[in-house]
Amino acid sequence: MYRYLFSPITINRLEIKNRIAYPSLGLLFSYDSKLNDRYTHFFRERAKGGAGIVTVGPVGVDFLGSGILALSIARDEAIPDFTKVTGIIKEEGARAWIQLFHAGAYSHPFLIDGKDPIAPSAVYSKYAKTTPREMTIEDIHQVQEAFAAAARRAVVAGFDGVEIIGSAGYLITQFLSPLKNHRTDQYGGSFENRLRFPTELIAKVRDAVGPDVPLTIRMAGNDFVPGSNTDTDTPKIAAAYQAAGVDAINVTGGWHESRVPQLPMELPRTAYAFLARNIKNAVTVPVMASNRIASPDDAERILRDGYADMVNLGRVLIADPQWPVKAFEGRTSEIRPCVACSQGCTDEIFSGRPVFCVGNPRAGFEAERKIIPTDSPKRIMVVGAGAAGLEAAVTAAERGHRVEIFEKDSDLGGQLWIAGAPPHKRELLEFIRYYRAMVNRCQIPLHLNTTVDINLIREKAPGHVIVAEGARALIPPIPGADSPEVLNAWQVLKDNPMLGKRVAIIGGGAVGLETALFVAAKGTLTPEVLHFLMAYDAMPPERLKALMFAGTSSVTVFEMLDKAGKDVGKSTRWILMDRLNRYGVTIKTGTRVLSIDNGKITWEQDGENRSDRFDTVILASGSLSEQRLAKAMADAGIPHTVVGDGIKPGKLNDAIHGGFLAALGL
Ligand SMILES: Cc1cc2nc3c(=O)[nH]c(=O)nc-3n(C[C@H](O)[C@H](O)[C@H](O)COP(=O)(O)O)c2cc1C
């Protein structure tokens, strides 16, 4: 079905069985730079799922470049552990790749025993919040030798291919960038001089591994940093890399410090494939595309339409390692989605914690969270078809229990519909697609429009009940908040009612801010209309840009705390705040709303009372657990398990992981 995706490709002389590569992703499964069982189970599962290449990385080549957190192959003693992992990847039918890593100025002193990070020049790094030491010529040669020695060890450990990281703002990118490289010697200044460090490095690694070992490099197709390399420079860089000896080029976009997002769901699917295509025009070796290639259709299109020769599936294979197998078998609707929420991966790793996956409770827990068939199948009643109930139902059914789902609404999905309503959050609706497919596949009877009470439970007499009642919007104790003309965020996101010109939102947490975006985006130019107007030069670009953010309502958010969006993930908060700013949303922090009276809001700020009039007032003040059935069951002494928001309002991963674990415990 996916003819191009599942055709083999040759890199150097090595045949790869398909066009799917799992790229390097820091997982932080250890704090001693060593591989452990958690890593090996993780990689086994990715290889088993059918990817052609599985990359182990990032792997440091010396201490200053990777410190205590990344894996390291800086010493021979590391070889046996890496040999074990390559054995596993190859045993499962994939080619084993390693990504060799040096952070340069992106290293942090606290990760390298308080030493200074090294870089081409002593330019302050906003990302690491420190100024690195300028590398001497001796340092330069040492780092190049360290890459070569690491690559040699990697080949001894059985890796089929070696990738050098030349992307994301790390050491090689720093040498290439006039922003970071202010050297006046042979490694700085002209384009040729800035290229010298990476091309010499490639040549040394090539020498170390010999002519037949596939050697690849990852590069940004555009640094997306003003003053740094753009897509007019990168094809020349790629051509120089090929001339220096690489066998394939892996193209991503941006640096860690770019103000253009690279990972979250705001980034449209396949958005950076055009960068790969741009590189492909300049080289003859295979090119890989990257970033948000979510569905098999997307991947096939990238290959078929000539954007790239291979696709990287990063978080997508964390969310579902079986993606390749399911695509091959035509079971695409059963692929667990990566919704690019960044909560379990990027946010965790930037907080120094191991990666997990919101949508896949097994990721990183492959050994301990196995779906083992039950030897005592029970009749299970699941009440509530939100994420928690659905995950519990599907997992229980996969274990061999006989499950039925009961849902009071007319469709499954619960709060997922609300969460997926704001602009750029539509990806969350992919969970609905997935659970619908799985409910079908597991042949789970789904009783919609059915409110469950104790009588129904007694009548059905199931072996166990999973109660996933969810939550409801909370009305805060503000005079006037309960009057009928005051809306709440859930109603607005779900029913999309007509709103007034001046809209106030009370509560500036994640829900309040996303509701603000939802409201502010109403009446703006749609992407299609923008494309049309741009294509015909119908209006000046600046005017079109203004119309992209000029909606029909003005929005003001009232937040009690000193900072809005405190509950938004680290890696995505800046994007949300940036968007709100572009849409002209006013955020009043440190405000306590005292009353709502016919659209007149009175609030206290800095000891003063003020008021203003709004056409629509929307509450976004959190939620309350629904516990009607759970309480009735507890009173009646009927055994049951509560999952999801019914325990306490939480995040999507609490719902999905909680539902999953409850089903494992049955
Ligand atoms: C938690 C995390 C860690 C990552 N670590 C690396 C890395 O060490 N080296 C690298 O080249 N890319 C790294 N990436 C980028 C991924 O390889 C990949 O390009 C990115 O996630 C976009 O692809 P995706 O949308 O398929 O996930 C990382 C991404 C994430 C989310």
Side-chain angles (χ1 to χ4, degrees), residues 361-377:
R362 293 197 62 234
F365 300 95
E366 282 77 9
E368 54 272 57
R369 295 186 181 173
K370 288 207 156 105
I371 300 177
I372 297 169
T374 178
D375 45 19
S376 57

Side-chain angles (χ1 to χ4, degrees), residues 419-440:
H424 318 292
K425 289 275 171 173
R426 279 196 65 77
E427 200 71 36
L428 283 165
L429 303 182
E430 281 290 294
F431 280 116
I432 294 175
R433 180 269 300 154
Y434 167 71
Y435 286 121
R436 232 190 259 293
M438 293 309 289
V439 164
N440 243 331

